[in-house]
Amino acid sequence: MSQEQWKSKIGFIFAAAGSAIGLGAIWKFPYVAGTGGGGAFLLIFLLFTLFLGAPLLIGEFLIGRKTKGDAITTYQRIAPNSSWGIVGIIGVVTCFILLSFYSVVGGWIIIYLFEALTGGLTGLSQDQYGMLFGEIIANPLPTLLAQLTFVLLTIIVVAKGVQKGIENASKIMMPALFILFLLIVIRSLSLDGASEGVKFLFVPDFTKLTSETILIALGQAFFTLSLGASAMVTYASYLPKTQNLPRSALSIVLMNIVIAILAGLAIFPGVFSFGLEPNAGPVLIFAVLPAVFSQMGFGMLFFIAFLILFLFAALTSAFSMIEIIVAAMTKKDKSKRKKYTWTIGILIFIVGIPSCLSYGVMSDVLVFDKTIFDLFDYAVSNVLMPLGALLISIFIPLKLSKSELFEEIRLGSHSGKMFFNVWYYLLKYFTPVAIIIVFMDALGLIDKIFG
Ligand code: PHE
């Protein structure tokens, strides 16, 4: 694919934003913020996103565009005869496990879409939505079928290599998602008792912060920006040298933050107004949103529109996950693209089956006290992605000289020395140190050493 290019500068931004904006901002952010205590979590998440996520995103873009390599080759080209390729392998493994449970949630969207279209969601009371959803996802056959459908949609698009066709669709879908979110937020803010939800999201209560929630906020910052898995490295490898990398990165960071906050504002007022619990976990958005929509004129119509856009956002992220695996595996023989995409996709579906059943027949199967779904989610978000991010932040300043980096960043942008230095030092010192501290803290080591 190295000779392939995005169709336009804005096309790349949409593709990379498409990878970034997905279940992470819309589905995961509200539920981890809900479990993590609201405002304090949001604040920490924002700090991590701005000071660790943004520099790292620029970094991933930079090495991807510089080497024009896939996730694994990039590291090998910059550091030949070293074992740094392992960073890319971690990325490939991360994306594999990630898509295995991501597709479960993608399936839930498809099921809801089906239910909404066939009238299964009309005329319920607020708490019935949560119950209905619990019943739906406990049912193995439809959920597996929906998960398979999600995987198949991903495979078909990526096997054809037509993600670039998606650029065009993104130009309409992304702004539409944004506008629809605004509408939902307006409605949810006018619910009785909405202010409780707003307070929950924006007023930090630091007593709720634990070492674990800080780690989750860190993982969330990387998850939403698709960082640490070399997905952004791969996407940037299809870029011309004229792309302004810092500007692209910052606009993606900003869009992501806006969507996450809108998702929070769409959900938490409803949670408090309907007397639900903010810490309901992965099912939160599915239990709350239909109830909010049911309070709107033409609610079902808007809900269907929302689900379509939500599905689209999830799919564009899923494309990038499978793309990085396929790109890394087909570097020598592009003609195998189709075969690899199908094989990998089907394998991912099979590995994802236990995650799907975690909400039904396998809900009692616990490993480290977690269901398989939660375990995979935890491993990807809170271990693999921060680990990948740590290694990338060490790799870049170690293997590329400051002047090389400055030269590369200036291609397509007019970044001054000052901006460059801020970026460079954040990436070189702040990012690895912060990740190590958060890891150590979560393992209880900080208390042991200093306590
Ligand atoms: N950023 C995506 C989301 O928020 C998830 C993702 C992670 C995609 C890593 C690709 C690689 O949904």
Side-chain angles (χ1 to χ4, degrees), residues 196-216:
E196 274 308 299
V198 178
K199 248 195 242 151
F200 177 79
L201 183 61
F202 289 120
V203 181
D205 172 0
F206 290 105
T207 59
K208 295 215 179 113
L209 272 191
T210 62
S211 312
E212 173 88 354
T213 38
I214 296 177
L215 173 65
I216 294 177

Side-chain angles (χ1 to χ4, degrees), residues 315-360:
L315 279 170
T316 52
S317 301
F319 298 157
S320 71
M321 292 169 211
I322 216 170
E323 171 70 30
I324 94 144
I325 309 176
V326 173
M329 297 186 75
T330 56
K331 57 186 153 218
K332 294 207 185 67
D333 189 355
K334 306 277 185 295
S335 66
K336 297 231 167 73
R337 184 178 180 88
K338 212 180 212 127
K339 204 168 115 201
Y340 272 96
T341 313
W342 276 95
T343 318
I344 294 161
I346 296 298
L347 280 177
I348 287 177
F349 169 70
I350 295 171
V351 171
I353 291 177
S355 296
C356 183
L357 300 180
S358 287
Y359 284 87

Side-chain angles (χ1 to χ4, degrees), residues 388-406:
L390 172 66
L391 293 174
I392 296 173
S393 70
I394 295 174
F395 174 82
I396 296 177
L398 189 69
K399 294 293 170 188
L400 291 164
S401 70
K402 221 175 149 185
S403 54
E404 256 176 306
L405 288 169
F406 187 55

Side-chain angles (χ1 to χ4, degrees), residues 16-53:
S19 167
I21 297 169
L23 295 180
I26 305 172
W27 156 76
K28 198 156 190 241
F29 173 75
Y31 102 69
V32 285
T35 332
F41 183 94
L42 173 65
L43 189 68
I44 305 279
F45 163 73
L46 287 178
L47 293 176
F48 282 144
T49 302
L50 292 173
F51 293 109
L52 274 71

